[in-house]
Amino acid sequence: MKKIYLLILGLAFFAFDSNAQSLEELKSQKADLTSQAAAKQAEADALTGKIGALDKEIDILSGWTKGVNGNIGFNLNQSNSWIAAPNPTATSTGLGIGLTGFANKMATKTLWRNKGILNKAWQKVSLSDVETENNGLFDNGTIDILNLSSLYGYRIHPKFAISALGELNTSIENFLKPGAVDLGVGGTWTPNNNFVVVIHPLNYHIAWPADGSGVESAGSLGAKIRADYTNSFNVVGKAIGVSSTFTTFLPYSDVKTNFPALVDDGGNVVRPAYDAGAFEYTWVNTLSFELWKGIGVGVGFGLRGADFEINDKLQSYYNFGLSYNL
């Protein structure tokens, strides 16, 4: 009888040990398969990236490539008799829109690149002690930028072309008050399809000052330089869009335009007379980060300097909000 008990105990121990070994083997097999799957996924992701790059090249060489990205930001704030606030009863509303679009046609011998940049923002603030009944949101613009350009070139080298450029730099509400138009010819360097540098030594620049300056417009001959970078990246399956444009005009002559003094009805000098040249520059940027199905967050910022706009200070802006990429 004792031998039977020992036999049963031995068989039970053997079965337990066998199950333990089987469990460890299964875990080991699972780990091996998981490692193999990760390696295969990494290989598939790399191939997908290469396919996407080839698709871009095919699209570029087969015809027009178009794209739009932008951001919109909206905020609404209100307080009602909140004594701790600087203004206990107040409301504020803000709306900002930024759009960057392009339409390019690249060929073996020619290139045609068109780009548009629009940034517009409004802000309304109503305080308890300020009358604003007839002052709506869209009556209070805070950012207004419009830049349109069209570049055509004939390639004399895969990365260099003889080119002509037309550019408009102004705003929507104050169209050409101030603003500038450039028309010129020269050369364009295209190290790749995302980066373009335009250098036009023969360029005619027409500038309009802000309204009420006492000057209509002025034209000058000089050099035009413009650099555009537009690209999109995929990081862990999410899209990141980048667009940056720098444009400047360098006049050949140091002749300046005289702006007369601005005097109010009482004979007081609001702005003294001064002289301004035609040199100017603008740098505009947009960044977008995808969160879900093309929707994400975006930021836009820019710098500008232009004496002809009755402003010798550095101009700047920024906006932040939701973004959407097409």
Side-chain angles (χ1 to χ4, degrees):
M1 190 69 177
K2 185 177 180 180
K3 292 181 178 180
I4 294 175
Y5 288 148
L6 291 173
L7 179 60
I8 293 173
L9 183 62
L11 291 173
F13 178 79
F14 177 77
F16 176 79
D17 184 62
S18 298
N19 286 336
Q21 290 181 352
S22 298
L23 181 60
E24 292 301 322
E25 289 175 355
L26 290 174
K27 288 182 178 180
S28 177
Q29 291 178 14
K30 179 183 177 181
D32 290 341
L33 291 175
T34 301
S35 177
Q36 294 178 27
K40 295 292 185 182
Q41 185 62 48
E43 184 179 352
D45 290 342
L47 291 175
T48 300
K50 292 181 179 179
I51 292 172
L54 290 174
D55 285 339
K56 288 184 179 180
E57 295 294 330
I58 291 172
D59 290 341
I60 290 170
L61 294 177
S62 61
W64 288 95
T65 58
K66 305 173 184 178
V68 176
N69 65 69
N71 62 71
I72 179 170
F74 180 77
N75 63 75
L76 176 64
N77 304 283
Q78 181 176 9
S79 64
N80 185 19
S81 299
W82 193 274
I83 302 301
N87 295 285
T89 300
T91 61
S92 67
T93 307
L95 175 63
I97 299 172
L99 295 173
T100 300
F102 66 90
N104 302 331
K105 187 173 184 179
M106 312 294 284
T108 304
K109 282 294 184 182
T110 61
L111 62 90
W112 190 8
R113 303 179 67 95
N114 304 278
K115 188 172 185 178
I117 302 170
L118 169 65
N119 278 281
K120 186 71 176 158
W122 301 266
Q123 180 74 33
K124 177 188 176 184
V125 178
S126 301
L127 306 178
S128 58
D129 58 348
V130 178
E131 181 64 36
T132 57
E133 291 183 0
N134 299 319
N135 196 8
L137 171 62
F138 296 103
D139 297 321
N140 299 279
T142 58
I143 298 175
D144 195 344
I145 296 169
L146 177 65
N147 182 279
L148 302 175
S149 66
S150 182
L151 172 70
Y152 184 82
Y154 183 82
R155 298 181 189 274
I156 58 176
H157 183 273
K159 295 185 178 181
F160 189 83
I162 298 172
S163 56
L165 171 71
E167 180 186 282
L168 169 67
N169 200 1
T170 183
S171 63
I172 297 176
E173 289 191 19
N174 296 320
F175 189 75
L176 294 181
K177 297 179 182 180
V181 170
D182 285 281
L183 298 170
V185 293
T188 294
W189 177 48
T190 56
N192 54 58
N193 291 318
N194 300 314
F195 185 43
V196 176
V197 178
V198 178
I199 302 176
H200 285 177
L202 185 59
N203 184 90
Y204 192 70
H205 178 85
I206 307 173
W208 287 264
D211 198 15
S213 65
V215 175
E216 291 297 326
S217 64
S220 56
L221 190 65
K224 180 71 175 180
I225 300 175
R226 180 183 172 108
D228 275 295
Y229 179 77
T230 304
N231 206 350
S232 60
F233 309 91
N234 281 314
V235 179
V236 295
K238 303 298 182 181
I240 297 178
V242 180
S243 177
S244 181
T245 297
F246 176 82
T247 177
T248 183
F249 174 71
L250 308 173
Y252 290 140
S253 174
D254 60 357
V255 175
K256 299 182 182 298
T257 300
N258 178 259
F259 287 79
L262 183 62
V263 182
D264 63 16
D265 295 337
N268 300 311
V269 177
V270 178
R271 189 201 68 236
Y274 77 104
D275 296 330
F279 168 74
E280 66 174 52
Y281 67 90
T282 303
W283 185 37
V284 179
N285 306 271
T286 58
L287 301 172
S288 62
F289 307 88
E290 182 187 23
L291 298 177
W292 179 73
K293 293 185 177 181
I295 301 174
V297 294
V299 59
F301 61 94
L303 301 173
R304 178 168 171 78
D307 291 345
F308 208 77
E309 297 178 359
I310 323 179
N311 188 341
D312 58 355
K313 298 179 180 179
L314 175 66
Q315 305 174 43
S316 65
Y317 81 91
Y318 75 89
N319 54 29
F320 179 83
L322 294 176
S323 67
Y324 185 71
N325 290 315
L326 296 178

